[in-house]
Amino acid sequence: MSVLSVENLCFSYSDMDVLKNISFNVTDGEILVVLGQNGSGKTTLLKCVVGILNPNKGKVKIDNLEIANLTLRERAKFISYLPQEDAMNFSYRVIDVVLMGRAPYISIIGKPTFTDMRFAMKSLEMLNVRHLATKIYSSLSGGEKKLVSLARVLVQKAQILVLDEPTNHLDFKNQYMFLKRIRDIVKSENICAVVSLHNPNLASFLADKILMLKNGKVIGYGRTKEMLTENILSNLYDTDVLVKTQGKISMVMPQIL
Amino acid sequence: MSRSFILLFAVLLLVSFASLFIGSCNIPIYEVLKSLVSNNINATYKTIVVDLRLPRIIFSIIVGSGLSVAGASYQTIFRNPLVSPDILGVANGAALGAAVGILLNFSYYLLILSSFTFGMLAVFLALSISKRNGKESILGLIVSGIVVGAFFTSLVGIAKYLADTNNQLPQIIFWLLGSFSFVTWNIWPIMIVISACILVIYLMRWQLNIASLDEESAVTLGVNLRLIRLIVISLSTIITAASVSVVGIVGWIGLVVPHLARLLTGSDNVRVIPATILVGGILLLLSDDLARNIISGEIPISIITSLLGTPIFIYIYKNRRIKI
C-alpha cells in the first residue's frame, strides 16, 4: 500500500506567501480533489507535489521516501503529471506523443522499444482512442487531445497521478466522460490521483476526498460528502451556495440569482 | 530501416560517385576509376581525383549533414521552426575570427583556428548574457543570440573598413560567401570532429522529442532539459564553428533541410534526424557540384545554397508545412 503524504508544505514567490502549512495524504485507489477560487494556490500546490517547484518548508513523501531526495528520473517513475495546457510545437503523431511518457525508462541515447510501443498502444486502448494512433496530435479536437495526453500520463506507469484542471476546454458531456475514465482507471489499477478542479459538481462526481484551498490555506479537508456542504462551500467561494443531494450525487449552485 | 532511408542513402552514394567524374579538368571515366584503385596512373589525374575531388566531396557531405542536423536540433530545442544553426551568433563570430585572421595575414590553419575560436566565443557570450535573474529561457537565448550576432557583424564591418582594398577586402568578402575550394585531406581532424558530433546527436535523437516539450512537462517525465539543451547547443556550436571556419558561411542549408526531412518522415526526431543527415549531405554536395561546374571559375557556395534554399522554403511554407 503506498501513500502520498504532504506535511506542512509552505511555498512563497519572493516575498508573497502562496501556500501555508498544507498537509494531506492519499492512498492507493483514492482520488483527492483540490478545490478553490482562481489564484487560491491549486496549481502551485500540484507543482510542489510533482517537484516542478521546490517548497520552502515541509515535505512531500511517497511511503517514506522524500521526493526531494530522488533524482528526476526516479521521481518520474513514482509521479506523473498532466499540466493544464500541453505545448506541442511540432506535428507529432499521437503515438509519438504517448511514447514520450516512457521517458523515465529510456536512457539518454536510447529510443522506445517494442515493449514501450505495446504499453503505449495498450494505454490508448484503455481510453478507447487506439484508432487515433497515427493521427497528427495537433489536428485532434480538444477532447481527443486530453485523452491522448492522459494516455501519455498513464504509460508512465506511476503510482500517483497529478492532474491540473483536466476538464478545461472540454464540453459538458466530455467533462464527465473524461473524469469517469480517470475514476475507472484509478480504481482498476489501484493507483491514486490528485486532481484540481474548478467545479464542485465535478468534484462530487470524482472525489473520494476533497481539499479546499483559500488564499493558500486549507479551510476544509475530508470525505467528499462532509466537505460539500453549503457552509463550507459558501466560505470557499465567498458567495452563498445551495447544495441539493439526491442519492450519492450532490448538486451545487451559487445563489447569485 | 524503411524504404525511404535506403533510397536516400542510395541517392547519396550515387551523387557522391557521380561527383568524382565532374570538374573543370576533363578526366576520362576509366582514368577516374583507375585512380581510385591503382597507383599505376597519370599522377596529375590521381592528384585531382584522390587529393582534390574526393576530400571535397566527403567534406561537403559532412558539412551539409552537420549544419542540417544542427538546424534540426536547434529548431526542436528552441521550439521554433524558423531557427537556423547560427541563431546563437556562431557564424557571425566565426566570420570575425576569419576577418581578423585575414587582416593579420594568418596562415591557412591559424585562420581556421581563429575563426573556430571566435565562433565558440560568440556562443559562449550569448549563453552568458541570456540568463536573467539567474534563470535561462528560450526567449533569452534567442534575444542574446541576435544581439551578439549583430555585435560581431558590426566588428566584421570594422575589419572590412580597415582591410586593404586590393587584397584583404576581396578575401574577406569571398570568405563570407563560402567555398569548398581549399578543402584537402589535411583537414581530416575537423572531418572527424564534425562527424563525431553528428553521431552523438543521432544517438540522442529521441530525447529531442522530449526537449521540444515545455520545461515543466520534461521535468515531470524525468528529463533534465537543461542538460539536453547544453549538450545539443555545445555539439551544434562545434559543428557549425568547425564547418564555417574551413569553408566560410554556408547559408540556408541548416534552416531548409530539416523541413525537407520532415516532409518525408513526419516530425518524430527518431526519423527526422537520419533523414536530415542524408538530405543535408546530398543537397550540399549537389550545391558544391554546381558551384564548381556551372562556370569555368568557382561560384561561392552561399550563392548556390541561397538560390536553392529560398524557393524550397517558399514551397514548404505555401504548403503549410511550417507552423508559424
Side-chain angles (χ1 to χ4, degrees):
Chain A
M1 189 92 164
S2 61
V3 183
L4 168 73
S5 54
V6 171
E7 297 167 9
N8 299 316
L9 188 139
C10 297
F11 182 83
S12 54
Y13 286 110
S14 50
D15 54 352
M16 197 178 72
D17 290 340
V18 184
L19 297 173
K20 296 157 208 159
N21 278 320
I22 314 279
S23 298
F24 63 84
N25 62 62
V26 197
T27 57
D28 287 343
E30 208 172 45
I31 301 173
L32 173 87
V33 167
V34 183
L35 285 178
Q37 295 184 26
N38 288 330
S40 58
K42 297 190 295 291
T43 298
T44 308
L45 174 61
L46 299 195
K47 286 183 178 173
C48 285
V49 170
V50 297
I52 292 172
L53 297 174
N54 291 321
N56 304 93
K57 229 184 78 186
K59 287 174 184 162
V60 178
K61 290 207 252 176
I62 300 159
D63 293 331
N64 284 319
L65 285 172
E66 209 176 311
I67 70 150
N69 297 334
L70 300 175
T71 63
L72 279 183
R73 189 177 278 263
E74 286 168 339
R75 201 183 295 170
K77 290 178 184 171
F78 283 115
I79 306 184
S80 54
Y81 175 63
L82 182 67
Q84 272 183 44
E85 308 282 346
D86 254 329
M88 288 287 167
N89 298 275
F90 291 89
S91 308
Y92 293 117
R93 291 174 308 166
V94 163
I95 187 69
D96 301 327
V97 172
V98 178
L99 280 168
M100 290 179 192
R102 297 299 294 166
Y105 304 91
I106 295 172
S107 84
I108 195 165
I109 55 166
K111 63 188 177 79
T113 61
F114 182 68
T115 317
D116 294 316
M117 185 64 113
R118 242 186 26 219
F119 279 137
M121 289 310 279
K122 213 180 133 197
S123 133
L124 283 171
E125 217 168 78
M126 255 160 91
L127 299 167
N128 289 331
V129 284
R130 194 191 157 107
H131 59 282
L132 298 178
T134 55
K135 292 251 163 59
I136 299 298
Y137 178 82
S138 52
S139 70
L140 303 181
S141 72
E144 289 171 331
K145 274 184 188 163
K146 275 284 173 203
L147 287 170
V148 171
S149 302
L150 183 63
R152 192 194 86 198
V153 168
L154 292 177
V155 91
Q156 212 170 321
K157 299 271 172 210
Q159 193 59 28
I160 298 155
L161 303 183
V162 177
L163 316 173
D164 193 5
E165 289 173 24
T167 51
N168 274 2
H169 308 306
L170 295 184
D171 65 36
F172 179 65
K173 184 189 90 179
N174 271 323
Q175 291 186 346
Y176 283 90
M177 290 286 286
F178 188 78
L179 294 183
K180 183 176 182 321
R181 294 249 164 83
I182 291 173
R183 201 175 165 80
D184 290 348
I185 287 163
V186 167
K187 300 299 169 189
S188 67
E189 305 285 307
N190 202 29
I191 54 182
C192 60
V194 179
V195 184
S196 72
L197 290 174
H198 268 304
N199 185 342
N201 287 308
L202 294 176
S204 119
F205 176 76
L206 180 72
D208 297 306
K209 286 203 284 196
I210 294 181
L211 179 88
M212 291 178 166
L213 274 186
K214 190 173 179 184
N215 301 324
K217 282 190 197 145
V218 177
I219 59 155
Y221 170 53
R223 312 303 307 177
T224 304
K225 254 229 161 96
E226 299 155 17
M227 286 296 109
L228 294 181
T229 65
E230 290 182 350
N231 270 343
I232 299 178
L233 286 166
S234 301
N235 178 17
L236 180 68
Y237 290 109
D238 286 325
T239 182
D240 288 337
V241 172
L242 195 73
V243 179
K244 294 264 178 236
T245 306
Q246 194 159 28
K248 279 184 179 174
I249 301 286
S250 297
M251 287 287 293
V252 181
M253 277 252 286
Q255 282 186 313
I256 288 170
L257 298 174
Chain B
M1 209 189 273
S2 76
R3 218 180 291 168
S4 51
F5 288 109
I6 296 171
L7 192 72
L8 281 176
F9 194 66
V11 172
L12 180 62
L13 283 180
L14 196 75
V15 177
S16 316
F17 193 62
S19 304
L20 279 172
F21 298 90
I22 48 178
S24 52
C25 176
N26 240 336
I27 306 174
I29 291 177
Y30 68 93
E31 294 285 356
V32 173
L33 293 174
K34 240 166 72 182
S35 66
L36 286 175
V37 290
S38 130
N39 278 325
N40 190 15
I41 177 196
N42 180 329
T44 318
Y45 286 169
K46 178 125 186 141
T47 306
I48 290 176
V49 174
V50 177
D51 294 334
L52 295 176
R53 286 184 191 171
L54 192 58
R56 187 168 175 161
I57 289 167
I58 290 176
F59 197 59
S60 54
I61 293 172
I62 292 176
V63 169
S65 301
L67 292 177
S68 308
V69 106
S73 20
Y74 269 17
Q75 288 171 5
T76 312
I77 64 165
F78 288 114
R79 304 202 282 272
N80 183 340
L82 295 178
V83 158
S84 67
D86 35 358
I87 188 74
L88 294 179
V90 59
N92 315 70
L96 178 66
V100 167
I102 292 167
L103 279 187
L104 300 177
N105 291 321
F106 281 177
S107 72
Y108 177 60
Y109 297 105
L110 206 54
L111 190 103
I112 291 179
L113 188 68
S114 150
S115 169
F116 180 79
T117 314
F118 274 83
M120 300 291 286
L121 181 76
V123 174
F124 183 73
L125 259 180
L127 288 180
S128 40
I129 294 172
S130 70
K131 281 188 189 163
R132 197 161 51 169
N133 303 330
K135 284 184 183 167
E136 68 175 31
S137 70
I138 287 183
L139 183 68
L141 279 170
I142 293 180
V143 168
S144 52
I146 291 171
V147 171
V148 168
F151 175 69
F152 277 80
T153 303
S154 60
L155 294 183
V156 171
I158 295 177
K160 280 185 192 165
Y161 179 72
L162 294 175
D164 120 52
T165 45
N166 288 329
N167 242 324
Q168 294 171 330
L169 188 59
Q171 266 193 66
I172 294 178
I173 288 171
F174 272 101
W175 189 93
L176 288 174
L177 290 169
S179 169
F180 280 89
S181 56
F182 300 110
V183 172
T184 60
W185 285 120
N186 290 335
I187 56 149
W188 64 267
I190 296 176
M191 295 186 185
I192 290 176
V193 167
I194 299 176
S195 307
C197 293
I198 295 174
L199 178 69
V200 177
I201 296 184
Y202 172 81
L203 290 173
M204 285 177 59
R205 65 199 188 283
W206 187 72
Q207 293 287 323
L208 289 174
N209 284 358
I210 310 287
S212 74
L213 298 176
D214 55 304
E215 190 128 11
E216 293 181 352
S217 300
V219 165
T220 53
L221 287 170
V223 172
N224 186 342
L225 204 55
R226 288 174 64 181
L227 178 71
I228 306 271
R229 247 187 236 160
L230 188 69
I231 296 176
V232 170
I233 289 177
S234 308
L235 293 171
S236 301
T237 302
I238 295 173
I239 289 174
T240 315
S243 305
V244 172
S245 64
V246 176
V247 298
I249 308 275
V250 182
W252 284 88
I253 290 285
L255 177 62
V256 167
V257 170
H259 290 290
L260 274 180
R262 286 189 200 105
L263 273 185
L264 296 172
T265 66
S267 288
D268 177 14
N269 282 300
V270 171
R271 295 161 56 80
V272 170
I273 295 298
T276 300
I277 291 172
L278 292 170
V279 174
I282 295 169
L283 208 65
L284 194 55
L285 177 56
L286 279 175
S287 306
D288 188 47
D289 284 344
L290 291 175
R292 62 193 174 97
N293 290 297
I294 291 183
I295 55 170
S296 59
E298 288 244 357
I299 301 175
I301 189 73
S302 252
I303 295 178
I304 307 281
T305 53
S306 306
L307 284 177
L308 287 176
T310 40
I312 295 175
F313 195 79
I314 293 168
Y315 167 78
I316 299 170
Y317 174 68
K318 286 281 181 196
N319 282 276
R320 296 183 184 199
R321 298 294 186 149
I322 296 177
K323 255 173 46 180
I324 295 175

